[in-house]
Amino acid sequence: MKRNMYVIFCTAAVFVFALSSCATTGGVQRVDAADVVDLDGYWNDSDVRIVCESLINDCMKSPRIANYKKENNRLPVAIIGKISNDSDEHIDTSIVAKKFENAIINSGVMEFVSDKSERQELREERLDQADNASEETAKAIGNETGADYMLLGSIKTIVQTEGRKSVRAYFVYAELHDLETNKIIWSGENSEIKKVIERPAAKF
């Protein structure tokens, strides 16, 4: 009986040791934010950075934007409108919008005003100040700066699949619209993001 128990104990110990040896150890590795890390082939932070920098750099070089300052003696004022996700995957377009916004602000070529949700929050604060802040510090209502241009955009994909291999191509479009006349002041496209993905064979 004791011998049988000893055999069972040893067998169980060997089994547990084998399982622990086969298990992979997890962990976290910090990398530079500029490094390209592509784990699954889908849209990622590197794609956002490449696309937004390229498009905004092109937009800022538009002669119409340069002419606006000469004709009006001030920088044009821009606002970000809707960035549509027309791709076949989930993409948080608010990140793309913020990247566009940052690039425009940092360019020094155009000024920028708050988006729709931000404006609503700011208006509520001004109304609250009108009731509760001193006259010297309360901010006036009706002195907002109106935007001259609105940046609209979209993200689209073309996907080809054969067997375990697929090709994903991303097309990002952006347009700068004159808010008063609806004229398109600038139009740009980025189609630099193209990925070939090969999925591992299924294991049986």
Side-chain angles (χ1 to χ4, degrees):
M1 182 66 179
K2 289 183 178 180
R3 179 178 177 79
N4 289 341
M5 291 295 293
Y6 178 78
V7 171
I8 293 172
F9 175 81
C10 291
T11 302
V14 171
F15 181 74
V16 170
F17 178 78
L19 285 178
S20 63
S21 299
C22 293
T24 57
T25 57
V28 176
Q29 179 185 1
R30 289 185 179 272
V31 297
D32 191 284
D35 290 349
V36 177
V37 180
D38 211 331
L39 297 179
D40 56 12
Y42 289 101
W43 181 264
N44 59 42
D45 62 313
S46 297
D47 302 329
V48 174
R49 183 173 64 253
I50 293 168
V51 165
C52 292
E53 289 178 357
S54 170
L55 283 173
I56 293 302
N57 286 340
D58 184 49
C59 178
M60 295 302 99
K61 295 175 184 176
S62 169
R64 289 191 177 94
I65 295 176
N67 290 337
Y68 187 97
K69 184 179 180 181
K70 294 177 183 178
E71 294 171 2
N72 297 274
N73 200 30
R74 66 172 177 85
L75 294 176
V77 180
I79 189 171
I80 295 288
K82 184 177 181 181
I83 308 296
S84 302
N85 177 19
D86 300 326
S87 73
D88 69 325
E89 63 183 87
H90 170 72
I91 294 177
D92 187 348
T93 56
S94 67
I95 297 176
V96 180
K98 278 298 179 184
K99 284 286 187 182
F100 278 143
E101 178 181 323
N102 291 340
I104 291 172
I105 293 172
N106 294 332
S107 71
V109 176
M110 291 195 290
E111 293 186 346
F112 207 85
V113 291
S114 310
D115 66 25
K116 184 180 295 185
S117 62
E118 292 168 337
R119 289 199 305 273
Q120 184 58 39
E121 188 171 354
L122 291 167
R123 287 167 183 163
E124 291 174 1
E125 173 60 23
R126 283 195 291 272
L127 289 172
D128 184 76
Q129 288 187 10
D131 291 333
N132 300 295
S134 65
E135 291 185 9
E136 294 79 12
T137 60
K139 302 304 175 284
I141 296 171
N143 281 344
E144 296 181 19
T145 298
D148 303 300
Y149 300 141
M150 177 179 282
L151 185 73
L152 300 172
S154 62
I155 303 171
K156 306 177 188 297
T157 51
I158 294 178
V159 182
Q160 294 177 288
T161 302
E162 183 178 356
R164 293 188 290 109
K165 183 176 287 187
S166 61
V167 179
R168 304 186 65 81
Y170 293 85
F171 298 84
V172 183
Y173 302 92
E175 295 177 338
L176 198 63
H177 295 251
D178 187 307
L179 277 166
E180 187 169 353
T181 65
N182 290 341
K183 290 181 179 179
I184 299 177
I185 302 302
W186 166 85
S187 179
E189 172 192 339
N190 184 295
S191 55
E192 298 176 14
I193 310 299
K194 190 173 186 179
K195 307 179 184 184
V196 178
I197 307 148
E198 186 165 357
R199 305 297 180 191
K203 295 180 180 180
F204 298 96

